[in-house]
Amino acid sequence: MVETDKVKYYIHDVIKTVLPNCKVPADLKFALQKFGIELEYKHKRTSNEIEGVSFRYNNISFKGSQVDRKFSFGNLKKEFQKNIKRLQEQAQPKAEQPSPPVKRNLIIKGVELTDKQQEALMSGGHIFLENMLSKDGKTCFSAYLFLNDDRNKAFFSKEHPDTFVEYGKYEMRVRDKILIEAGFIAKAKVKWYGGGFAYPYLWKTDKSDAEYKENWRDPRIIEEQKPENKQVVKPKHPKKNKGKGM
């Protein structure tokens, strides 16, 4: 490879390296000086407007388009404008991405539940929770805890919720009795004949009622009444009187 070609390729590679950081013609000139390359801009006679560019290294000179067409001044000017826009966009602070919401479990009487405890409650089970804050805000207590069917209200018991107690006509769980007395409908688990269990719906219309009501279907579900199939009786057409002709 002759010296001229070596110089041209050297100039080409250096321009390609420094050009992305140049916003104005002077930036490119000063950047090339660090690599020993001289840059000269050619101005129009009637004005100071740049119309051409040339590069020199080791006393070998090339016009910009001779090094590469994209290094003519017209194309270099376009690159300066692109760089200005790109560098401005990079300098602008990026919009902060909203941080994902922090997962937080239920807090019962000042105690935040663990994932395992919350899962047990939401699946219809119970837990034993310690160091809950009393109404006075000063003393603490511990108790069994369970939720109603809608999972929107907590109930407390000193006894194990699944312990059976006699209440009315049935022997049912403690948790069922608590729900009924609080005015909620409970799908109770009651002891049945032969050592098995049954699951009636039990509730009180009023908390002060002495006895609870019972149904084997959920009274909260209103059954749709099927319309009676009535036979449509078509009206009989009156017989036409055949009159005698006049």
Side-chain angles (χ1 to χ4, degrees):
M1 184 182 292
V2 296
E3 185 67 18
T4 303
D5 291 335
K6 289 182 180 179
V7 170
K8 184 169 71 171
Y9 290 135
Y10 173 72
I11 293 173
H12 178 278
D13 291 343
V14 174
I15 295 173
K16 186 177 179 181
T17 300
V18 302
L19 184 57
N21 295 318
C22 299
K23 296 182 288 185
V24 293
D27 291 343
L28 181 59
K29 184 172 184 177
F30 291 132
L32 293 178
Q33 285 178 355
K34 297 177 182 179
F35 295 88
I37 300 173
E38 298 178 28
L39 181 152
E40 183 178 352
Y41 291 114
K42 181 181 179 182
H43 297 80
K44 290 184 178 180
R45 294 181 180 179
T46 55
S47 66
N48 199 33
E49 185 179 353
I50 300 173
E51 64 176 358
V53 62
S54 62
F55 304 96
R56 179 186 294 272
Y57 182 77
N58 282 352
N59 293 321
I60 300 175
S61 181
F62 298 95
K63 291 181 180 180
S65 57
Q66 290 177 325
V67 177
D68 195 301
R69 286 186 179 180
K70 60 185 177 182
F71 294 152
S72 67
F73 183 73
N75 288 327
L76 288 175
K77 187 176 180 180
K78 292 177 183 178
E79 289 300 314
F80 294 150
Q81 292 170 346
K82 289 180 183 178
N83 293 343
I84 290 172
K85 184 177 180 181
R86 175 177 52 82
L87 294 172
Q88 285 177 342
E89 289 175 351
Q90 291 177 353
Q92 291 176 353
K94 294 183 179 179
E96 294 184 2
Q97 294 293 329
S99 56
V102 179
K103 179 188 174 184
R104 192 170 187 180
N105 290 341
L106 291 172
I107 298 177
I108 307 292
K109 298 288 186 181
V111 179
E112 184 174 356
L113 303 184
T114 64
D115 291 343
K116 190 174 181 180
Q117 288 173 328
Q118 181 158 311
E119 184 180 352
L121 286 180
M122 290 303 177
S123 61
H126 64 269
I127 61 173
F128 186 77
L129 203 58
E130 298 179 307
N131 299 320
M132 291 182 284
L133 207 58
S134 301
K135 290 182 179 180
D136 58 14
K138 298 178 181 178
T139 57
C140 294
F141 73 101
S142 301
Y144 289 98
L145 173 67
F146 61 94
L147 304 178
N148 62 335
D149 289 348
D150 294 330
R151 309 291 191 264
N152 58 10
K153 186 172 177 59
F155 294 88
F156 306 93
S157 173
K158 292 182 179 180
E159 298 180 78
H160 194 290
D162 289 338
T163 302
F164 280 85
V165 294
E166 289 186 7
Y167 184 52
K169 64 181 287 188
Y170 289 121
E171 191 174 350
M172 66 184 69
R173 298 173 299 179
V174 168
R175 64 185 296 162
D176 300 323
K177 178 184 176 183
I178 292 174
L179 286 172
I180 295 168
E181 291 182 337
F184 287 83
I185 297 173
K187 185 178 182 181
K189 181 179 181 180
V190 302
K191 289 188 177 181
W192 204 246
Y193 304 104
F197 299 98
Y199 300 89
Y201 289 91
L202 308 175
W203 75 96
K204 287 184 177 182
T205 305
D206 191 284
K207 293 182 184 179
S208 60
D209 291 346
E211 297 181 355
Y212 48 75
K213 295 187 176 182
E214 175 183 357
N215 200 322
W216 293 99
R217 292 183 179 180
D218 191 340
R220 293 165 293 192
I221 299 175
I222 301 174
E223 294 185 5
E224 294 183 2
Q225 294 183 351
K226 295 182 179 179
E228 296 181 3
N229 293 327
K230 294 183 179 180
Q231 292 183 350
V232 179
V233 180
K234 295 182 179 180
K236 295 181 179 180
H237 295 287
K239 294 182 179 179
K240 294 182 179 180
N241 292 325
K242 296 181 179 180
K244 294 181 180 181
M246 297 293 294

